[in-house]
Amino acid sequence: GAVVSQHPSWVICKSGTSVKIECRSLDFQATTMFWYRQFPKQSLMLMATSNEGSKATYEQGVEKDKFLINHASLTLSTLTVTSAHPEDSSFYICSARHASTDTQYFGPGTRLTVL
Amino acid sequence: AQSVTQPDIHITVSEGASLELRCNYSYGATPYLFWYVQSPGQGLQLLLKYFSGDTLVQGIKGFEAEFKRSQSSFNLRKPSVHWSDAAEYFCAVGALATGNQFYFGTGTSLTVIP
């Protein structure tokens, strides 16, 4: 139980295009999901907290207009990187909070490369 | 302010040897403590967690961790390391009061020598 999936697992796009990443909790409902960014050989940096049915809460320094987050259902949150640039290339990881266990379960990550 | 410190950036051990990865935290409320493991190019897998009760917690893959409030530590241990344990290990702290937001340490990279 407590499986979180991400799609796609990797994506390559041209500079200036937008990319959508999906995060799904497969066997539980998640009122709260989190989006992280991880640079090579570094820790996870929390980008935003996504609450179902409300606006996401962004961490300081994260551009909300560039990283659009939608949490339309209890099992799905999406992160859209708008007008992507090479500096947005990174590993993006989502997690979903399992309410009954107060534990975050992580997706396998999405490798984004912007050319 | 909340923070998690993993003092060891990289550790190398021989297969079969014991392992201890250090984690210290600073947290204003009663912490929930976690250890996750990440293989290259993968997401994070939960090894174990501590919420309350017995301060020695058992996890998957033969790992255990001990919560020491007086030292603000939550060190991860394994009595005998296997080559498959080579990975990146992250300690994290969170609490219900913050909506379960996690604060991660910078990670410890484990290399296992045959």
Side-chain angles (χ1 to χ4, degrees):
Chain A
V3 179
V4 177
S5 70
Q6 276 184 247
H7 178 79
S9 56
W10 59 270
V11 57
I12 301 173
C13 69
K14 293 182 179 180
S15 185
T17 61
S18 295
V19 174
K20 179 185 286 188
I21 303 170
E22 293 185 347
C23 177
R24 293 181 185 273
S25 55
L26 298 183
D27 50 2
F28 66 99
Q29 293 184 331
T31 54
T32 305
M33 290 184 173
F34 303 87
W35 285 96
Y36 296 85
R37 184 173 178 176
Q38 185 180 32
F39 292 100
K41 299 190 182 299
Q42 295 189 24
S43 187
L44 282 72
M45 181 191 77
L46 179 65
M47 298 175 66
T49 302
S50 168
N51 293 297
E52 187 267 338
S54 64
K55 290 183 179 180
T57 303
Y58 290 81
E59 294 299 299
Q60 191 173 11
V62 178
E63 299 176 59
K64 62 180 181 181
D65 294 330
K66 180 168 186 62
F67 298 99
L68 300 178
I69 292 173
N70 184 283
H71 194 159
S73 78
L74 289 171
T75 59
L76 173 65
S77 176
T78 60
L79 168 69
T80 301
V81 183
T82 62
S83 186
H85 289 281
E87 56 265 31
D88 299 324
S89 299
S90 191
F91 194 55
Y92 292 88
I93 304 177
C94 74
S95 71
R97 176 176 175 258
H98 196 306
S100 64
T101 62
D102 288 328
T103 299
Q104 287 188 33
Y105 293 92
F106 287 79
T110 297
R111 172 75 58 193
L112 170 63
T113 301
V114 185
L115 302 177
Chain B
Q2 299 88 342
S3 67
V4 179
T5 302
Q6 292 180 245
D8 305 304
I9 296 174
H10 185 241
I11 284 182
T12 300
V13 299
S14 298
E15 190 169 16
S18 63
L19 172 70
E20 182 170 31
L21 302 182
R22 295 183 290 167
C23 173
N24 294 95
Y25 68 90
S26 173
Y27 204 74
T30 301
Y32 289 4
L33 295 159
F34 305 81
W35 274 100
Y36 288 87
V37 61
Q38 183 182 34
S39 296
Q42 302 293 316
L44 275 68
Q45 181 183 22
L46 178 67
L47 284 176
L48 48 77
K49 61 186 178 184
Y50 171 79
F51 285 2
S52 65
D54 192 347
T55 56
L56 183 64
V57 294
Q58 303 296 320
I60 63 171
K61 303 183 179 185
F63 286 93
E64 67 178 24
E66 185 172 12
F67 171 58
K68 293 185 178 180
R69 185 183 298 274
S70 61
Q71 298 178 20
S72 296
S73 69
F74 188 57
N75 295 347
L76 181 72
R77 300 193 294 252
K78 185 169 184 177
S80 178
V81 170
H82 188 263
W83 63 266
S84 60
D85 294 324
E88 190 83 16
Y89 292 81
F90 292 98
C91 178
V93 62
L96 273 180
T98 59
N100 212 214
Q101 178 176 320
F102 278 21
Y103 296 89
F104 281 88
T106 50
T108 297
S109 177
L110 174 65
T111 298
V112 180
I113 298 174

